[in-house]
Amino acid sequence: MYSSHSLTRRSLLLLLVAVGALGLGVYARFRGLGAAPLSVDEYYLTRSIDNVIRSGLPVFQCGGFYTRGLIQQYLSAGLRLAGLAPELAPRLIAALCSLLVLPAAYLLGRRVHGRTIGLLAVIVLALSVWEVEMARFGRMYAPFQAVSAWYLVFFVRYTVDREVRALWPMLALSLIGPFVWEGGALLALANFLPIFLRPDPERRPSGSDWIYLAGAMLLFVAAYWFVTADFRGYNAASWPASFTRAMVELPRDPMSALTLPMLRLPYHPGWAALAIVPFIGALVALRRIWAWRQRPLAAAGLLALLLAALLQQFAAVLAIALLLLLLRLVRWRELFSKAATALIVAVLLCVVYWLAFGAATTDWHTAASTGLAKAIAAFAYPYLRYPDVVGVVLRPWARAVPLLASGLLLLIGGAMWRQCRSEEPMTAERALQIVFLVLLLAASASNPPRQETRYVFFLYPLAIIIALTAIVRVSQFVLQRRPAALSLAIILGLGGFALSEDFQPHHLLYIDRPAELFRVGMRHDMQGHLEMRDDYRELSRWLQQHAVPGRDLVINGVHGLDYYDSQIDYFFADQHDPNFASWSCRQGSVERWGNYPLIYSVTALKATIMSSHETYLVVFAPDSTQMLASLADLSPHIVWAQGYVDVIALQGSR
């Protein structure tokens, strides 16, 4: 038997740990915040802030507007005018926003499962090396995470607690979201969920419901238009006359070359004829789904599930089934009842048929099939491609933080499994799992430009809260007595976090030292997870010591260096580069960000080098091999190699 005194003592100890974690977290977020030179992505925002200071608008000197992070741009411009350094101003906003996440995480955790979860969430997020580094990253990710976290606070109050007054701050934050980061459109999408989170989700919508849905639709359409509109003015007037987008060489990810198996079905007549089996199964299932017509939302969901199975998209099948169960549109017992037998059989027939077809044919997955692991991945990926949770979330997380990713996947999956089987009414825990799943699926379907962990950074606090709640649930199942169960949950929660890649106390304590700033000795994927940095200040000093103005040329190929080096003569971006369309301006005569004269072909690059005494070409390290081969007749050699940047020296004829 545990006394209230022991409860108070444990709570006090946890509170002290939270205070200590918060202290270290604040120290790590603000220690030497302006010490690092701009990273590549910070450079883009900072150049636009320069434009805001110069003209009052985020307009490039050669035309077009940069509308990403508008609120942060204008706030940073104000701090710059007040005297803050270009590096510090946007990072200070990010760091302050990161701290704003912590009280929101506490409120969400407490609302889900009490004060223990709230304090544990604060401890983890305060000490998370990812949270700290993104707080020190002068971009929009930490600010948008703060907007998202507080949106969820009011979302729960409105949908679960039925506080009508919480609707207005919830809508206001979803309106602000797109002006913080383009992912803000996802919050506008989440505004549709409250209609489905009522005690009776199948209740016929009232007049006020239709008004709400119309307003949510208007907000979503406006947000989507804003975040997808081409304000930068990428068009034919920006590019050389000879340039077409077909010339761009996209990154060669073998997985992206894989086709859907069904697209090859016409080339296999025998298998096409055999498709009659799952087709008949689907027709039988349709009759059963028609019996659900009195529950239109459930029927629509089951129809979408069947269609996804026919189209061999089994990730979508799982996602739809999860949503139906979490939303309580279909109960667990109903999904496995006799009435649903035809649907389950139809889905299984689709699975068996498409997997058998895939195993029997190879003309759709040979692009990435060398080696057993790659062959398995190439076989499985097309079946899980839409929404692309594998590419957008699982692959980048598995490469960067495999232990953390595995733990979160197991815990969040278990938590959702429990809710799917539960007959509980709409709780805060269930509501947050639903919004987490919807936003994760929407982010996975958004086709981001790269496969990086940062695109779901805004969901990290929610993932931590769901995972910690799962740990408490497991502890309570193992130890029936609540005090002992909570003690075990605290040990497991903090112990699991300490064993993950996200707990690096040495990195936090010495965060402003060069080894930590520039990720010395860190795995490449982990560097990308925490955002890569290079020492452009030191490189600028080196160039100033070696490149003689008026005699030697400096040709830059990396964004960020020109913010520290005023003697750059040209910017080089090959017209086959995936970024060329966005960097070229005024018919290829200038580079958009720094407004430098632009060289966009190796032929023109050689001609420019030959006109100088000596040329220093600055490129990213992965591009060095190709550049050395392309310029072999000019005796190239690398004279600087640090971090992710190389400098190639070439002799001209002057």
Side-chain angles (χ1 to χ4, degrees), residues 497-570:
F497 169 66
L499 293 174
S500 76
E501 302 90 346
D502 206 28
F503 183 66
Q504 299 181 25
H506 181 274
H507 185 93
L508 300 185
L509 289 171
Y510 303 102
I511 198 161
D512 61 333
R513 296 189 179 181
E516 310 303 327
L517 286 178
F518 304 118
R519 323 302 190 210
V520 177
M522 188 178 291
R523 288 185 299 109
H524 175 79
D525 290 320
M526 190 63 176
Q527 289 182 30
H529 180 65
L530 301 183
E531 300 307 322
M532 293 182 179
R533 294 189 180 277
D534 285 289
D535 195 349
Y536 290 132
R537 291 196 188 103
E538 182 60 30
L539 175 54
S540 174
R541 284 192 288 267
W542 187 92
L543 287 169
Q544 290 170 9
Q545 293 171 1
H546 291 81
V548 178
R551 187 194 70 173
D552 301 331
L553 290 180
V554 176
I555 301 178
N556 184 29
V558 300
H559 282 122
L561 171 62
D562 56 287
Y563 214 82
Y564 302 97
D565 196 331
S566 60
Q567 70 179 65
I568 288 174
D569 300 289
Y570 297 93

Side-chain angles (χ1 to χ4, degrees), residues 186 387 389 392-393 435-445 456 458-459:
L186 300 179
V389 178
V392 175
V393 182
V435 73
F436 175 83
L437 180 59
V438 168
L439 292 177
L440 185 71
L441 293 173
S444 299
V456 292
F458 71 102
L459 290 174

Side-chain angles (χ1 to χ4, degrees), residues 409-622:
L409 180 63
L410 180 64
L411 291 169
I412 293 174
M416 289 186 175
W417 173 264
R418 177 186 177 276
Q419 286 297 327
C420 286
R421 295 170 56 89
S422 172
E423 294 294 329
E424 294 175 350
M426 186 56 63
T427 62
E429 183 180 359
R430 183 187 291 267
L432 288 177
Q433 287 184 22
I434 291 169
V435 73
F436 175 83
L437 180 59
V438 168
L439 292 177
L440 185 71
L441 293 173
S444 299
S446 64
N447 191 29
R450 293 176 298 277
Q451 292 185 347
E452 295 181 352
T453 55
R454 70 169 94 173
Y455 296 118
V456 292
F457 176 71
F458 71 102
L459 290 174
Y460 190 52
L462 187 50
I464 291 297
I465 290 169
I466 295 173
L468 290 171
T469 305
I471 291 175
V472 170
R473 297 287 188 193
V474 171
S475 300
Q476 290 177 335
F477 178 79
V478 174
L479 301 174
Q480 297 299 316
R481 291 179 298 175
R482 185 173 179 274
L486 283 180
S487 297
L488 177 62
I490 292 170
I491 294 171
L492 292 177
L494 296 182
F497 169 66
L499 293 174
S500 76
E501 302 90 346
D502 206 28
F503 183 66
Q504 299 181 25
H506 181 274
H507 185 93
L508 300 185
L509 289 171
Y510 303 102
I511 198 161
D512 61 333
R513 296 189 179 181
E516 310 303 327
L517 286 178
F518 304 118
R519 323 302 190 210
V520 177
M522 188 178 291
R523 288 185 299 109
H524 175 79
D525 290 320
M526 190 63 176
Q527 289 182 30
H529 180 65
L530 301 183
E531 300 307 322
M532 293 182 179
R533 294 189 180 277
D534 285 289
D535 195 349
Y536 290 132
R537 291 196 188 103
E538 182 60 30
L539 175 54
S540 174
R541 284 192 288 267
W542 187 92
L543 287 169
Q544 290 170 9
Q545 293 171 1
H546 291 81
V548 178
R551 187 194 70 173
D552 301 331
L553 290 180
V554 176
I555 301 178
N556 184 29
V558 300
H559 282 122
L561 171 62
D562 56 287
Y563 214 82
Y564 302 97
D565 196 331
S566 60
Q567 70 179 65
I568 288 174
D569 300 289
Y570 297 93
F571 191 91
F572 174 71
D574 192 283
Q575 58 189 330
H576 300 291
D577 189 287
N579 295 305
F580 180 79
S582 61
W583 291 350
S584 173
C585 202
R586 292 181 182 169
Q587 294 186 319
S589 61
V590 297
E591 178 271 332
R592 185 179 298 274
W593 293 97
N595 216 44
Y596 289 95
L598 178 63
I599 301 172
Y600 54 84
S601 71
V602 173
T603 301
L605 179 62
K606 287 183 177 181
T608 304
I609 292 170
M610 291 299 293
S611 67
S612 71
H613 175 77
E614 188 167 19
T615 295
Y616 295 94
L617 175 62
V618 185
V619 297
F620 284 118

Side-chain angles (χ1 to χ4, degrees), residues 77-142:
L79 293 175
R80 291 270 301 276
L81 291 173
L84 268 67
E87 296 88 352
L88 181 58
R91 292 176 191 166
L92 180 60
I93 294 169
L96 291 172
C97 287
S98 178
L99 292 182
L100 287 176
V101 171
L102 300 180
Y106 174 77
L107 291 173
L108 288 171
R110 189 182 67 178
R111 181 64 185 81
V112 168
H113 205 278
R115 185 181 303 169
T116 298
I117 295 295
L119 290 175
L120 285 175
V122 169
I123 293 169
V124 170
L125 295 173
L127 297 180
S128 160
V129 70
W130 195 29
E131 287 283 332
V132 169
E133 283 293 352
M134 295 300 274
R136 298 171 63 86
F137 183 42
R139 291 284 283 181
M140 305 80 63
Y141 302 103

